[in-house]
Amino acid sequence: SRRLVNYSSIVTCCTQSGSPCPAVLRAPMSKSPPLVESRMSFQEPRYNPAIALRFRGYLPVVVDVETGGFDAHHDALLEIAAVLLHLDRDGRLSPGITLSRHVQPFEGANLDPKALEFNGIDPYHPFRQALPEGEALREIFAPIRQAVKQSGCKRAILVGHNAFFDLGFVNAAAARSGIKRNPFHPFSTFDTVSLAALAFGETVLARAVQSAGLAWDSSEAHSAVYDTERTAALFCDIVNRWQALAVERPWEAKKSQP
């Protein structure tokens, strides 16, 4: 079913002036809690450098985009969200901070009415507080590059459900914006479609999440933040299940190698 975004409900901060809170206005006024702002003071826990060994020097970052169509080079990027992941001492993954931005359609971008009906986005509604592509991506990329550095990884790798779609829009938007330091590997991804098919025999995100025993709210689906956080939970669940079942763990053997 279509996700209806209520832009008319303005949440105000508890201040004497009662002026709207920018952190809330950057988020769709849906049932979801206010989005975590990448502009906020980025106080992340120290990353476990073992994650660099676990994924061959790549830091998994879960990403979802909402768009004005299927063509990354001609259709608008409208929302982007990313979830950073943490690895604990026992080698278990868990979702960390969520980063998100609403994005202004680039000049000349195509907006397919069917796509907008599907995701429920009004691209030009003022309460979206959308940013130009380049500014939005730079605010998302900065904490990701910091996380890559702190974890001892060489690059981020995009995790997504049909990840080629998300990476295609991220790469196209970065190229249009002249961004040279894209933190993501240019073509490699971890795709939860394939992982969920292997683990649960499911390829649809909602069914895979539910098969993993995780919560799914269809009324929140097709929001970049919600889909990213559910995809992150699914990815962590699958990796952790394998971690628990694996008799041989070749990634751990790398710790003793010079």
Side-chain angles (χ1 to χ4, degrees), residues 172-189:
R176 280 192 297 268
S177 303
I179 296 176
K180 304 297 184 182
R181 298 180 61 201
N182 184 337
F184 291 103
H185 191 286
F187 54 84
S188 293
T189 61

Side-chain angles (χ1 to χ4, degrees), residues 161 196 200-214 216 234:
H161 205 76
F200 307 114
E202 298 287 358
T203 57
V204 176
L205 179 59
R207 293 178 180 176
V209 167
Q210 291 171 325
S211 294
L214 304 171
W216 178 265
L234 177 64

